Amino acid sequence: MSDSLFIKICGLKTERDVDTAVEAGADAIGFVFSDSPRRIDATTAAGLCRRVPEHVLTVGVFRDEPLREVRSLADRAGIRAVQLHGPDDRAYYDDLATGGWTLIRAAAFGNQVPRCGDMGEDILLLDAPVPGSGVPWDWTGKPPAAPGEKWLLAGGLTPDNVRDAVDATCPWGVDVSSGVERSRGVKDPALITAFITSARDRCP
Ligand SMILES: O=C(O)c1ccccc1N[C@@H]1O[C@H](COP(=O)(O)O)[C@@H](O)[C@H]1O
């Protein structure tokens, strides 16, 4: 992981896209294990993880999956972090913490601003109400999280809007899926590279 803006590229399914994200400087790459056009199985993810150097965090994305499913998929794939889109249950997080994974809690930004650590997570992801939809939320209204918190901005980011979004919200990092695709579920290597370049523009 680098000290500059942390960048996660999510929903990768192919060797070409993993290699592109790593070479372009991604800090984390995500594999979706929930219902989605980006879903892959544990065997495919394990093969892709073997291509990823140690300094890049491999993340499994789950939505309201039973604990035993999360544990089984994460173990078989060999990922190092789990991104949880529900349930917001402290016991669920405490259980997964014993597995040694970095815990990323995804929450929709609303009237109540979640705090990183409320569920024992290591990183908070503030997302649009429908994850993976490519629809941005209004990040201009008020500070999404306290300065210094380890939080990722996600939801409808693209190479064209990521720089403004970072300037407006000062997140610890950013996360993208739809905005680097040429069609739903199909990544575009040129967009992956363009996203990382734009996000880091004027950043250390
Ligand atoms: O990508 C999906 O289909 C998905 C499915 C289930 C949970 C999360 C999912 N994606 C996450 O959504 C955000 C933002 O995505 P986008 O850039 O708006 O398309 C990202 O964290 C993905 O990991």
Side-chain angles (χ1 to χ4, degrees):
M1 294 187 214
S2 64
D3 290 333
S4 63
L5 185 76
F6 186 92
I7 300 178
K8 171 170 166 275
I9 307 290
C10 202
L12 300 179
K13 299 194 293 191
T14 68
E15 294 182 354
R16 178 200 67 173
D17 296 339
V18 167
D19 292 351
T20 301
V22 169
E23 278 160 27
D27 298 289
I29 56 174
F31 305 116
V32 178
F33 294 119
S34 290
D35 188 29
S36 166
R38 300 155 186 134
R39 182 179 206 150
I40 58 173
D41 59 30
T43 307
T44 306
L48 295 176
C49 281
R50 284 194 282 274
R51 308 178 70 78
V52 180
E54 185 72 16
H55 70 275
V56 176
L57 188 66
T58 48
V59 182
V61 177
F62 302 90
R63 180 159 45 190
D64 285 319
E65 305 295 335
L67 265 177
R68 66 178 181 287
E69 270 297 295
V70 177
R71 282 184 163 274
S72 166
L73 283 162
D75 271 339
R76 283 184 287 138
I79 53 172
R80 290 170 42 219
V82 292
Q83 177 177 318
L84 306 167
H85 293 253
D88 250 8
D89 172 357
R90 184 67 201 229
Y92 187 93
Y93 279 78
D94 286 347
D95 184 295
L96 289 173
T98 66
W101 296 287
T102 297
L103 303 181
I104 304 175
R105 175 168 66 115
F109 180 71
N111 290 333
Q112 294 238 311
V113 182
R115 295 292 311 245
C116 181
D118 280 352
M119 291 290 147
E121 73 272 28
D122 302 290
I123 299 169
L124 176 68
L125 170 73
L126 289 178
D127 200 354
V130 183
S133 63
V135 177
W137 47 279
D138 180 13
W139 53 68
T140 56
K142 50 185 166 173
E149 277 192 11
K150 245 184 184 182
W151 73 280
L152 297 172
L153 176 68
L157 296 177
T158 69
D160 291 335
N161 69 12
V162 64
R163 197 57 244 165
D164 287 346
V166 168
D167 287 344
T169 58
C170 301
W172 175 75
V174 292
D175 182 14
V176 65
S177 190
S178 307
V180 292
E181 290 178 344
R182 83 166 71 98
S183 61
R184 198 150 171 72
V186 181
K187 293 291 185 275
D188 181 330
L191 289 177
I192 292 173
T193 303
F195 182 87
I196 293 174
T197 304
S198 308
R200 293 240 166 86
D201 187 31
R202 302 196 305 275
C203 275

